[in-house]
């Protein structure tokens, strides 16, 4: 997995022979390194993917509708569009807005298991929409595309599941599933995120206790060292009653601290809403709305 640290530009003195080979190798690695942290821009904001079963038209049409909602959120930064009833009419005609689409077999290289050959195989359906048509829909919804600079978000997340308590890092094996979920959520919302390494946490003496009552002025230098321009702090606590995670999030932007909560969700969904909520704030689309899959319960411990 690509390192999430952002390297700074520096002059490189190129020698001859072996030195040049070393530099070429270094530069090639550097390009791959940087590629892991580039946020979606331009046409990428109008492209997304969804998992569908088979390549039949019926499932493809449904997939187009799901992708349309995701692209409207991704292009505008407005997480509040998720589940918006006004989108139903547009989603029913999503096929007419598609520029290109393609499939990737998730089981590529594995034997076919069903009698139809591909009927039951999962595919990644990647869809790119016409930019002008998406912009028109956003305008009709009172929104606009977020084409200006998208700040890189340094994410500090504490996980608590019974006796287990840890912070999600870029290199720790304990939180590899959460790390992957956060990166997927960032890609889905067109955001660039960085996570702390275990070495950075140790060096900065950052623990879960510090994140429960975060001091953003103290976290900002740590975030900046990784290339983060703004800090998002989260805490997820497993709730046996909801059979899901109770989460709370904080972000400081333009001198104002924004807070919101999400309850009774998987950590994948919690991260999608958290990154989406941060994007909504940073794009100027307002505060996220606290959501719950169950009735209001006790606060996070």
């Amino acid at each position: 997995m690509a390192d999430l640290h952002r390297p700074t530009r520096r002059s490189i003195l190129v020698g001859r022979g072996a030195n040049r080979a070393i530099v070429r190798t270094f530069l090639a690695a550097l390009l791959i390194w940087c590629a892991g942290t580039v946020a979606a821009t331009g046409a990428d904001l109008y492209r997304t993917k969804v998992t569908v079963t088979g390549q039949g038209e019926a499932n493809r049409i449904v997939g187009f509708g799901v992708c349309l909602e995701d692209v409207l959120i991704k292009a505008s930064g407005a997480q509040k569009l998720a589940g918006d009833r006004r989108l139903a009419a547009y989603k029913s005609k999503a096929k007419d807005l598609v520029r290109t689409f393609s499939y990737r077999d998730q089981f590529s290289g594995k034997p076919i298991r069903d009698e139809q050959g591909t009927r039951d195989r999962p595919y990644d359906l990647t869809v790119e929409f016409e930019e002008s048509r998406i912009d028109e829909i956003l305008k009709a919804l009172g929104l606009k595309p977020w084409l200006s600079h998208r700040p890189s978000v340094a994410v500090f997340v504490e996980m608590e599941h019974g006796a287990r308590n840890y912070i999600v890092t870029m290199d720790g094996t304990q939180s590899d599933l959460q790390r992957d979920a956060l990166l997927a959520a960032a890609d889905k919302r067109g955001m660039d995120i960085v996570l702390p390494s275990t070495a950075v946490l140790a060096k900065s003496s950052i623990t879960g206790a510090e994140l429960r009552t975060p001091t953003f002025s103290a976290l900002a230098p740590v975030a900046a060292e990784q290339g983060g321009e703004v800090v998002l702090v989260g805490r997820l606590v497993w709730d046996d009653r909801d059979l899901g995670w109770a989460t709370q999030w904080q972000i400081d932007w333009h001198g104002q601290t924004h807070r919101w909560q999400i309850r009774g969700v998987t950590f994948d969904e919690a991260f999608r809403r958290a990154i989406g909520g941060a994007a909504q704030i940073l794009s100027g689309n307002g505060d996220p709305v606290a959501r719950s899959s169950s009735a209001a319960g006790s606060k996070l411990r």
Side-chain angles (χ1 to χ4, degrees):
M1 178 176 179
D3 195 328
L4 296 183
H5 284 287
R6 286 188 164 191
T8 57
R9 294 184 179 180
R10 61 185 68 183
S11 298
I12 302 175
L13 297 177
V14 181
R16 296 180 179 181
N19 286 340
R20 288 178 177 173
I22 292 172
V23 170
R24 284 196 296 270
T25 302
F26 171 77
L27 290 176
L30 185 62
L31 289 174
I32 296 173
W33 199 9
C34 293
T37 61
V38 177
T41 57
D44 287 342
L45 295 177
Y46 298 85
R47 183 187 305 118
T48 192
K49 65 181 178 181
V50 67
T51 297
V52 296
T53 302
Q55 299 185 49
E57 183 178 12
N59 283 348
R60 182 165 62 248
I61 296 301
V62 173
F64 285 164
V66 174
C67 286
L68 176 61
E69 179 172 308
D70 280 342
V71 159
L72 288 169
I73 295 172
K74 186 178 184 181
S76 65
Q79 172 71 24
K80 59 188 176 183
L81 286 178
D84 192 318
R85 294 180 180 178
R86 295 177 297 170
L87 301 187
Y90 299 110
K91 290 167 72 172
S92 66
K93 300 178 180 179
K95 178 182 177 181
D96 300 333
L97 311 175
V98 174
R99 172 181 289 169
T100 61
F101 69 89
S102 62
Y103 287 98
R104 186 188 71 83
D105 186 350
Q106 291 185 359
F107 288 170
S108 178
K110 296 181 180 180
I112 294 173
R113 296 179 300 183
D114 63 282
E115 72 279 4
Q116 297 298 323
T118 59
R119 186 191 66 187
D120 294 332
R121 294 170 77 87
Y123 288 82
D124 287 331
L125 171 62
T126 297
V127 183
E128 182 175 335
F129 291 92
E130 293 284 351
E131 297 179 19
S132 60
R133 301 292 298 277
I134 295 300
D135 292 351
E136 288 173 3
I137 295 175
L138 290 175
K139 184 177 181 180
L141 296 171
L143 299 167
K144 58 184 179 180
W146 181 24
L147 303 179
S148 59
H149 172 65
R150 296 189 174 202
S152 176
V153 181
V155 185
F156 296 85
V157 180
E158 178 194 11
M159 308 286 297
E160 182 180 320
H161 191 176
R164 296 181 63 204
N165 186 287
Y166 55 92
I167 295 175
V168 179
T169 63
M170 59 176 283
D171 54 358
T173 57
Q174 184 174 218
S175 58
D176 54 352
L177 294 178
Q178 289 78 22
R179 177 181 63 245
D180 291 347
L182 276 165
L183 292 172
D187 180 68
K188 191 178 187 70
R189 296 306 180 220
M191 298 296 292
D192 175 16
I193 68 169
V194 291
L195 298 170
S197 66
T198 51
V200 164
L201 291 179
K203 175 184 174 182
S204 307
S205 299
I206 295 175
T207 65
E210 280 74 34
L211 297 183
R212 292 168 201 169
T213 54
T215 303
F216 286 96
S217 59
L219 292 174
V222 180
E225 184 178 338
Q226 304 168 96
E229 300 168 79
V230 61
V231 174
L232 172 65
V233 177
R235 184 164 185 252
L236 282 73
V237 178
W238 178 258
D239 190 326
D240 285 327
R241 292 171 299 179
D242 285 341
L243 294 179
W245 295 91
T247 79
Q248 58 184 11
W249 301 91
Q250 300 182 61
I251 190 171
D252 189 69
W253 182 239
H254 290 166
Q256 181 180 354
T257 299
H258 303 261
R259 298 180 177 88
W260 67 101
Q261 295 188 3
I262 309 162
R263 298 187 63 89
V265 294
T266 64
F267 64 73
D268 299 83
E269 180 63 17
F271 292 155
R272 280 192 290 269
R273 294 188 189 179
I275 300 299
Q280 182 161 302
I281 292 167
L282 298 174
S283 62
N285 281 301
D287 282 319
V289 176
R291 295 185 180 182
S292 173
S293 63
S294 60
S298 59
K299 295 182 178 179
L300 292 178
R301 297 189 300 274

